[in-house]
Amino acid sequence: MDFTLNDEQLMFAETARSLFADSSTPDHWRRMMEAGEAIDPARWASIVETGLTLVLLPENAGGIGLAESDFALIAQEAGYVVLPEPLVESAGVAAPTLAALAPDHPLLADPAATIAIAHPANPYVANADSAAAILLHQEGEAFLATPDQVTLTAQPSIDPFRRLFTVEWSPQNATALGKADWDLAFDRASLFNAAFGLGLAQRAVDLAVDYAKERQQFGKPIGSYQAVKHHLASAQVTIEFAKPVVAAAAAEIGTRDVQARARVSHAKIVALEAADKAARASIQVHGAMGYSWEVDVHLFLKRALALTQSWGTPAYHRARIATRIFTQPMGPDQTFAREADNA
Amino acid sequence: MDLTYTPEQQAFRAEVRAWLEAHVPSAPLEHFDATREGFEAHRQWEKTLKSGDWGMVTWPREYGGRGLDLIQWLIFEEEYYRAGAPGRVNQNGIFLLGPTLIEFGTHEQKQRFLPKMASGEEIWAQAWSEPQAGSDLAGVRATATRDGDDYILNGHKIWSSRAVFADWAFGLFREPGSERHKGMSLIFFPLDAPGVTVNAIKKINGHVGFAEIFLENVRVPAFNRLGDEGQGWHICMATAGFERGLMLRSPARYQVAAKKLAALWQAHKETADPALEADVVRAHMNADAYALNIYQTASRLMAGAKIGPEASTNKIFWSELDIHLTQTALSILGPQAELTHEAPDASPVDWIDDYIFALAGPIYAGSNEIQRNIIAERMLGLPR
Ligand SMILES: Cc1cc2nc3c(=O)[nH]c(=O)nc-3n(C[C@H](O)[C@H](O)[C@H](O)COP(=O)(O)OP(=O)(O)OC[C@H]3O[C@@H](n4cnc5c(N)ncnc54)[C@H](O)[C@@H]3O)c2cc1C
């Protein structure tokens, strides 16, 4: 039993953190929003160059073949900068799904290509227009099509960096790939969106802390007032207790049993609750500034909102936890229990 | 990261389980705060535990422990709660003072106090709070006046849990004339020493769970001071770290409660509000998250990290989850919720008592308001 990250993982997270910190600044977000862009080519190029799109891809598909625990750290750092580019869905979910079906697919040979995924869990497909290809679902089978082989209808999202579409397509215009593991794709997406949520949450708190140290009212910084402190402390408590759940879910996802699915669901629920709570606390602490387009907190709120309802609603995920509770033994010796051991 | 137990850890679990199965009393003991008999029955249980060398598993062997690591401690606690073993009457000693003594005490002090603590021979109370010094502990007025090799203690302590029946207390005293955090020392005194008067105070459940203590010229040897003279505040904060961070509330307690809650829900779901299932699920999630957090902390500490201000987040989390969990049980029980355990219709699990006790969680061990201040100032860096 060792519930700590190893040095390699910490180094990895650090690399991602500094890359994002340099390239994903508020100035960048503003410029992209004004231009109506969801992808910054220069930033995407540096992400690709650093190898972040290859982390979870298996070695037989030209990837680095690391595990979900490693990619979750990157997703968390991506959340900290509310990364506009579809790194999580493309490199964390769609590409490994494609690789499991066709490890030699030419798309996988291009680490810069993004792949969108039309998973049955979601009515709207994110970033389908800019994707090199879209992974499509029909009765458990997977198909691949380019955006011009399908009909995309834009469904604008409140999140300026999320471009959503409904997709109409026919199997004649797509390449059949066979039965895909949609469940694993779903669990990965849920997990990485949870990790992303942790990043969103921490940044929302950090932005508010910075503001609360500067902004003065009644002759002192608002951060010295207890009501302000307590908003942020409460948000931080929620974050601290979502972190180990995300870490455990990432470590266990490969087990693919009732307990592992419940952990992933638990992670998705609490990490995005933390993001929502932190974003709302942050808006409150910023006062009217927090309600303005000018201050960036709304980006964190909006992404939290979007991710909360996609890849399984909280009710859906709660039901998976209920299944774990009511079909498996509970109790203090069951924290790390596996379905196979209890069979 | 490796979230599986080693064969040694599994063997250890089996050993604990077997021992507890053979020794845990078949009928529950009377509560240790309710009567002297209840208290003494628990002291007897502590002695039984010690006979199997389970008094305090993480302490070094030479001081009455077993020399185990924190993961083994967690496994021990899991089995302990799973077995429904009696509450630890000496928790102030073994979980709070003990770790502090190990960190700050001299070899002679450890030899003198720890083995008797681990065996239940001496049961401890914590005498920090005073009528005018609760949250603001730096405001304690009780004094320790040096007289040769002794101290003379004077003052008035209050809210001391289990002091009515306990043998010893550890308290915070100041050098006469000193102010605030300076000049404080942590000193041990026997509760039956001449000059000590202990008056029981009833808690809201009617138990004599705490007491006020009057000290009038109580003489104790300087040997009873933990750490250097004037270092009391520093030591006290270390103890508070143990209290909030790890030892006081091991996760198993809430995991057992969440399991009982799930069973209660199964038994009542035909008649109870269906919306309550979400709260049952949430109680499990909270207990699970708390366990994972503590496993992570234990792993980090074993890898050499030190417990920091994040200990305050634990205290808020467990106290709030306890209230939510017990309140959910009361909602499921409906009109049965208000019945005391003497009622013929009472639920076999005394949820109402658990709920009433949970309400104290946000107050003791430093109120949650104070914990939020600590998180804001020391974790987030907000100005004082
Ligand atoms: C069940 C139980 C067992 C206990 N056992 C022990 C024991 O064994 N030994 C012992 O020494 N003590 C014990 N205590 C006492 C406990 O530590 C104190 O009650 C606690 O520290 C709060 O102090 P107080 O009661 O004086 O409340 P006060 O300090 O008067 O506080 C009252 C209220 O004001 C709030 N408040 C105070 N200051 C601030 C501030 N700066 N900012 C925001 N809010 C503030 C508090 O949070 C609280 O809500 C126990 C208490 C309980 C309930």
Side-chain angles (χ1 to χ4, degrees):
Chain A
M1 174 67 59
D2 173 21
F3 203 160
T4 56
L5 295 171
N6 62 38
D7 291 345
E8 209 179 334
Q9 288 174 314
L10 292 171
M11 210 181 64
F12 229 74
E14 182 52 42
T15 306
R17 186 175 315 141
S18 52
L19 167 71
F20 293 146
D22 292 345
S23 68
S24 195
T25 61
D27 279 353
H28 272 86
W29 300 331
R30 308 253 135 229
R31 258 185 280 138
M32 290 175 71
M33 273 191 283
E34 271 155 38
E37 301 286 345
I39 293 186
D40 175 316
R43 178 169 53 235
W44 187 247
S46 63
I47 288 172
V48 171
E49 201 179 311
T50 316
L52 300 190
T53 57
L54 298 177
V55 168
L56 197 61
L57 209 56
E59 286 173 31
N60 70 346
I64 306 176
L66 291 177
E68 282 87 352
S69 289
D70 305 289
F71 194 81
L73 295 172
I74 296 168
Q76 186 174 337
E77 298 303 333
Y80 194 76
V81 299
V82 63
L83 190 75
E85 290 77 15
L87 176 66
V88 166
E89 280 199 4
S90 177
V93 185
T97 305
L98 176 60
L101 296 164
D104 299 325
H105 198 284
L107 258 185
L108 298 173
D110 176 8
T114 67
I115 308 171
I117 178 163
H119 194 280
N122 297 320
Y124 311 113
V125 183
N127 300 88
D129 59 338
S130 57
I134 309 165
L135 203 52
L136 299 152
H137 166 266
Q138 193 178 65
E139 290 169 9
E141 303 280 322
F143 293 82
L144 199 66
T146 54
D148 57 7
Q149 290 173 317
V150 302
T151 308
L152 297 179
T153 307
Q155 305 277 357
S157 162
I158 184 82
D159 181 334
F161 293 135
R162 260 169 72 88
R163 293 159 76 97
L164 299 181
F165 300 88
T166 35
V167 183
E168 275 175 84
W169 62 287
S170 96
Q172 287 90 353
N173 297 330
T175 314
L177 296 168
K179 275 237 175 304
D181 195 339
W182 297 99
D183 293 339
L184 181 59
F186 178 81
D187 278 340
R188 281 182 172 151
S190 303
L191 168 69
F192 299 144
N193 280 325
F196 199 96
L198 282 182
L200 292 173
Q202 193 61 60
R203 186 61 172 280
V205 168
D206 290 354
L207 286 170
V209 166
D210 289 346
Y211 186 74
K213 286 185 197 167
E214 295 298 319
R215 172 75 174 164
Q216 307 244 336
Q217 286 293 282
F218 304 98
K220 38 183 194 172
I222 56 168
S224 62
Y225 295 107
Q226 241 176 29
V228 168
K229 283 181 178 161
H230 288 195
H231 276 309
L232 299 176
S234 298
Q236 193 64 39
V237 171
T238 311
I239 295 171
E240 293 304 318
F241 283 85
K243 277 181 196 167
V245 182
V246 173
E252 295 174 339
I253 188 173
T255 321
R256 312 198 63 187
D257 57 7
V258 178
Q259 288 94 337
R261 284 192 289 278
R263 272 275 156 64
V264 167
S265 288
H266 184 175
K268 170 92 167 23
I269 292 175
V270 291
L272 287 158
E273 278 175 357
D276 173 70
K277 183 169 181 163
R280 287 191 291 119
S282 191
I283 288 175
Q284 183 69 17
V285 167
H286 279 83
M289 284 298 277
Y291 201 73
S292 73
W293 188 265
E294 161 94 19
V295 164
D296 304 312
V297 187
H298 66 104
L299 297 175
F300 293 82
L301 175 88
K302 289 167 180 173
R303 187 65 61 86
L305 183 152
L307 299 184
T308 299
Q309 301 301 341
S310 62
W311 294 105
T313 60
Y316 178 86
H317 285 287
R318 199 183 307 119
R320 295 212 311 179
I321 304 169
T323 302
R324 183 256 173 269
I325 295 176
F326 299 122
T327 66
Q328 296 295 309
M330 285 177 79
D333 57 338
Q334 300 293 318
T335 311
F336 301 104
R338 302 268 59 102
E339 197 179 333
D341 299 333
N342 288 324
Chain B
M1 199 173 304
D2 177 7
L3 301 188
T4 58
Y5 296 105
T6 62
E8 292 73 32
Q9 287 165 341
Q10 279 166 336
F12 175 69
R13 184 187 292 282
E15 184 190 350
V16 181
R17 188 172 292 185
W19 190 89
L20 288 168
E21 269 166 15
H23 291 87
V24 169
S26 49
L29 308 181
E30 197 184 355
H31 198 282
F32 48 62
D33 284 344
T35 59
R36 168 68 76 180
E37 289 71 42
F39 186 87
E40 291 304 332
H42 279 80
R43 186 199 296 275
Q44 207 46 51
W45 165 246
E46 291 291 327
K47 290 186 174 161
T48 308
L49 271 176
K50 178 62 188 135
S51 72
D53 253 348
W54 304 109
M56 193 52 203
V57 295
T58 54
W59 295 356
R61 284 206 175 263
E62 60 172 322
Y63 302 130
R66 228 179 221 259
L68 302 184
D69 65 33
L70 286 173
I71 300 290
Q72 288 167 311
W73 170 70
L74 280 166
I75 294 170
F76 173 75
E77 288 283 307
E78 286 167 358
E79 291 303 315
Y80 194 88
Y81 279 96
R82 184 181 175 276
R88 302 298 298 266
V89 65
N90 210 10
Q91 49 186 282
N92 282 324
I94 56 181
F95 296 144
L96 305 183
L97 181 57
T100 322
L101 243 168
I102 287 172
E103 196 167 327
F104 297 97
T106 63
H107 174 65
E108 289 68 29
Q109 285 177 318
K110 293 179 200 178
Q111 263 181 330
R112 160 65 190 86
F113 293 110
L114 291 174
K116 289 198 157 114
M117 215 182 270
S119 69
E121 208 172 315
E122 289 172 348
I123 294 180
W124 287 76
Q126 181 194 49
W128 288 4
S129 304
E130 295 182 9
Q132 299 309 322
S135 299
D136 186 11
L137 203 55
V140 301
R141 302 259 55 102
T143 55
T145 311
R146 189 70 188 238
D147 181 28
D149 286 341
D150 295 337
Y151 284 109
I152 314 290
L153 308 179
N154 277 288
H156 179 189
K157 298 287 180 179
I158 196 168
W159 314 126
S160 235
S161 293
R162 281 172 290 292
V164 190
F165 306 127
D167 309 296
W168 278 80
F170 55 104
L172 208 47
F173 295 88
R174 66 170 62 256
E175 191 185 317
S178 67
E179 286 298 328
R180 305 294 300 164
H181 307 86
K182 299 209 178 72
M184 286 186 173
S185 294
L186 190 71
I187 297 176
F188 309 158
F189 59 96
L191 282 160
D192 60 358
V196 176
T197 309
V198 179
N199 293 335
I201 305 175
K202 274 191 184 178
K203 299 207 279 190
I204 58 177
N205 65 359
H207 286 165
V208 285
F210 35 42
E212 57 182 340
I213 306 172
F214 293 91
L215 298 116
E216 252 179 297
N217 296 322
V218 177
R219 182 175 286 271
V220 297
F223 178 78
N224 288 10
R225 187 193 69 229
L226 182 56
D228 293 337
E229 197 165 70
Q231 213 195 347
W233 181 258
H234 173 67
I235 297 175
C236 222
M237 289 305 104
T239 308
F242 291 118
E243 185 169 19
R244 292 161 195 159
L246 210 58
M247 291 286 179
L248 183 64
R249 291 289 173 254
S250 64
R253 174 195 186 99
Y254 305 109
Q255 291 175 302
V256 166
K259 180 181 176 169
K260 288 184 181 156
L261 183 70
L264 184 75
W265 169 249
Q266 296 277 52
H268 286 73
K269 70 176 173 197
E270 302 307 327
T271 49
D273 176 356
L276 288 169
E277 187 179 274
D279 288 304
V280 175
V281 172
R282 177 66 61 168
H284 162 79
M285 289 164 68
N286 287 341
D288 189 49
Y290 186 54
L292 292 172
N293 187 302
I294 297 297
Y295 266 97
Q296 207 173 43
T297 304
S299 293
R300 280 198 300 110
L301 294 178
M302 282 166 63
K306 285 238 169 258
I307 204 155
E310 72 278 7
S312 293
T313 66
N314 292 8
K315 205 255 145 169
I316 292 174
F317 195 80
W318 61 246
S319 57
E320 290 183 349
L321 85 78
D322 201 15
I323 291 174
H324 171 266
L325 194 157
T326 50
Q327 215 166 31
T328 302
L330 300 187
S331 303
I332 294 171
L333 286 171
Q336 212 187 341
E338 67 167 305
L339 301 181
T340 69
H341 70 274
E342 289 117 354
D345 279 4
S347 149
V349 178
D350 199 349
W351 289 108
I352 185 70
D353 197 53
D354 290 352
Y355 169 70
I356 297 283
F357 181 67
L359 293 181
I363 302 171
Y364 63 78
S367 77
N368 284 10
E369 286 75 23
I370 299 301
Q371 303 312 314
R372 286 192 164 87
N373 293 347
I374 294 173
I375 294 166
E377 287 162 17
R378 297 195 217 145
M379 253 180 111
L380 300 178
L382 287 165
R384 290 182 63 86

